[in-house]
Amino acid sequence: MPSLDHALYAFVIMHGIWGSPWMMIIFALGAAYLGGRAVEFIPFTRRIIERREAERG
């Protein structure tokens, strides 16, 4: 149960952060950037992107 206590404490701290719209915007921009990088990094999605680009031209 100690790990559950740490997880709940983290959610309480995050709840205070989400009260600020600026923090949500910063978090959304960071998540979008990291999501784009992850799509390029994962081999399966990279193959899909390469196929689409090959079909276009």
Side-chain angles (χ1 to χ4, degrees):
M1 287 309 219
S3 61
L4 181 61
D5 291 339
H6 292 294
L8 291 176
Y9 184 69
F11 282 121
V12 168
I13 290 173
M14 289 174 63
H15 179 69
I17 292 172
W18 300 140
S20 167
W22 290 109
M23 288 305 294
M24 290 188 72
I25 291 170
I26 292 169
F27 180 77
L29 291 174
Y33 173 76
L34 292 176
R37 299 290 296 170
V39 166
E40 292 176 4
F41 180 74
I42 299 170
F44 178 73
T45 56
R46 188 182 322 158
R47 279 186 242 130
I48 293 172
I49 293 169
E50 289 172 354
R51 282 186 204 148
R52 287 183 184 167
E53 289 177 353
E55 289 175 358
R56 287 184 191 163

